[in-house]
């Protein structure tokens, strides 16, 4: 069993749809990170969370420490949101296998 | 935001040669840098954690004599793939955290290594 589990693995959405990606972890953490990797390979850190909720533009990330669960939401999705989204935890680093998102115009 | 630069972005080399990849923090001092490897359609695999001025800590299964990591200054870490073989072909990425140690990760652009 992986220390960080993400779902779904692949997701296709129509432009404008509300999207949720889930992440569950089984280890103690100091923080949880949501990362975005575009087809070219570059990775951008979207959020670092240790509690509660953060919002940046159309992106919202939440974490429930008791349930060891986090969600990444994208409102009003757009084709440029198409990327792989990776959940990672730190303290000891573990990475999820990523969610490949495709937003269709 | 903080910038991490990686160089080269791609490299092709012959089997048996060594390749050095640099990771620089351009506008902040990075006490800790991380090196990852990524195979096609797979997630990141942490290879090692390097702290400025000390030996890198390697993850289980990563050969430290194969993947030499040097973090000689607060702005530069290098990964040298020694005696490269085709199975070392991969996408190598670095990330860094700042000296304030907020824990936020800043990633380099990645280096694609192809060993012929």
């Amino acid at each position: 069993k992986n220390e960080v589990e993400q779902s779904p693995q692949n997701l296709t959405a129509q432009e404008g749809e509300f999207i949720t990606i889930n992440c569950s972890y089984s280890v103690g953490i100091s923080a949880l990170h949501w990362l975005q990797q575009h087809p070219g390979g570059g990775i951008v850190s979207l959020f670092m969370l240790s509690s509660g909720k953060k919002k940046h533009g159309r992106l919202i990330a939440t974490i429930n420490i008791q349930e060891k669960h986090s969600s990444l939401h994208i409102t009003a999705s757009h084709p440029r949101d198409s990327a792989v989204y990776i959940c990672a935890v730190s303290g000891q680093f573990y990475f999820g296998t990523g969610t490949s998102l495709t937003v269709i115009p | 935001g903080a910038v991490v630069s990686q160089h080269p972005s791609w490299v092709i080399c012959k089997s048996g040669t060594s390749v050095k990849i640099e990771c620089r923090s351009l506008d902040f001092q990075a006490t800790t840098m991380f090196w990852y490897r990524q195979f096609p359609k797979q997630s990141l695999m942490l290879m090692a954690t390097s702290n400025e001025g000390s030996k890198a800590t390697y993850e289980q299964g990563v050969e430290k004599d194969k993947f030499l990591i040097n973090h000689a200054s607060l702005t530069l870490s290098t990964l040298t793939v020694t005696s490269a073989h085709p199975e070392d072909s991969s996408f190598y990425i670095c990330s860094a955290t700042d000296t304030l140690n907020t824990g936020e990760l800043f990633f380099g652009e990645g280096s694609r290594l192809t060993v012929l």
Side-chain angles (χ1 to χ4, degrees):
Chain A
K1 187 182 185 300
N2 294 331
E3 289 80 1
V4 178
E5 300 272 3
Q6 265 183 259
S7 64
Q9 277 191 302
N10 297 285
L11 181 56
T12 301
Q14 290 288 335
E15 183 174 356
E17 284 186 3
F18 180 84
I19 289 163
T20 296
I21 300 171
N22 294 300
C23 176
S24 296
Y25 55 93
S26 58
V27 294
I29 68 170
S30 57
L32 184 141
H33 306 256
W34 281 103
L35 313 173
Q36 180 191 55
Q37 184 173 30
H38 279 280
I43 295 175
V44 173
S45 176
L46 298 174
F47 294 104
M48 185 179 74
L49 292 165
S50 53
S51 65
K53 175 180 173 179
K54 286 190 176 180
K55 184 176 189 292
H56 184 234
R58 294 180 294 106
L59 302 178
I60 303 167
T62 62
I63 187 169
N64 184 317
I65 298 294
Q66 286 72 33
E67 294 185 4
K68 295 191 172 180
H69 181 270
S70 175
S71 293
L72 175 68
H73 305 287
I74 304 175
T75 61
S77 59
H78 191 275
R80 64 175 175 267
D81 297 326
S82 299
V84 175
Y85 292 83
I86 302 169
C87 173
V89 299
S90 58
Q92 180 80 5
F93 268 103
Y94 296 101
F95 292 83
T97 52
T99 296
S100 179
L101 171 65
T102 303
V103 181
I104 300 169
Chain B
V3 177
V4 173
S5 175
Q6 217 174 309
H7 177 80
S9 55
W10 59 270
V11 57
I12 301 172
C13 70
K14 290 184 178 180
S15 188
T17 61
S18 294
V19 174
K20 180 185 284 189
I21 300 169
E22 293 187 346
C23 181
R24 292 181 185 273
S25 56
L26 297 185
D27 53 359
F28 68 101
Q29 293 183 324
T31 50
T32 305
M33 288 187 173
F34 304 91
W35 287 97
Y36 312 84
R37 184 173 183 177
Q38 187 178 37
F39 291 106
K41 298 193 183 299
Q42 294 188 23
S43 192
L44 300 171
M45 183 191 81
L46 180 64
M47 298 174 67
T49 302
S50 83
N51 292 295
E52 185 264 339
S54 62
K55 289 185 180 180
T57 302
Y58 290 81
E59 296 298 304
Q60 193 172 11
V62 178
E63 299 176 60
K64 59 183 179 183
D65 295 330
K66 174 76 173 174
F67 299 100
L68 299 179
I69 291 171
N70 183 279
H71 192 162
S73 78
L74 284 171
T75 59
L76 174 65
S77 176
T78 60
L79 167 68
T80 302
V81 183
T82 61
S83 187
H85 289 279
E87 58 265 29
D88 298 323
S89 299
S90 190
F91 190 59
Y92 294 89
I93 311 169
C94 71
S95 70
T97 57
D98 62 30
T99 51
L100 293 176
N101 211 20
T102 59
E104 189 169 0
L105 294 171
F106 303 100
F107 285 83
E109 308 95 327
S111 300
R112 191 164 301 282
L113 170 64
T114 302
V115 185
L116 302 176

